[in-house]
Amino acid sequence: MEGLSIGKLLIVGALIVLLFGTNKLRTLGGDLGAAIKGFKKAMNDDDTAAKQSVPEDKPAEQQTRKE
């Protein structure tokens, strides 16, 4: 066994295209891209929420009162 070569990878890719078709693969790629985009957005939202929830130097009582 030589391992994976470019020729073997091309053959596997061609078989996948023949089995599933280009439309199915295009839909799968779009769904995967949307999932990654949603994951990144959720991670950024979590970071923003964590930064906002950090208390400041003032106690909570002084923050809510208006003098």
Side-chain angles (χ1 to χ4, degrees):
M1 282 255 163
E2 300 172 14
L4 291 176
S5 65
I6 299 281
K8 290 178 183 179
L9 290 175
L10 288 175
I11 291 172
V12 170
L15 288 174
I16 290 173
V17 169
L18 287 174
L19 286 174
F20 295 108
T22 56
N23 288 335
K24 185 79 168 182
L25 291 175
R26 186 177 301 131
T27 304
L28 181 67
D31 291 343
L32 181 64
I36 291 172
K37 187 176 181 180
F39 178 75
K40 286 182 179 180
K41 184 178 184 289
M43 292 298 292
N44 287 336
D45 289 347
D46 286 346
D47 289 343
T48 304
K51 287 178 184 177
Q52 290 176 354
S53 67
V54 175
E56 294 181 16
D57 293 338
K58 298 179 183 179
E61 297 169 1
Q62 291 179 355
Q63 288 179 357
T64 57
R65 285 189 198 171
K66 292 184 179 180
E67 297 179 23

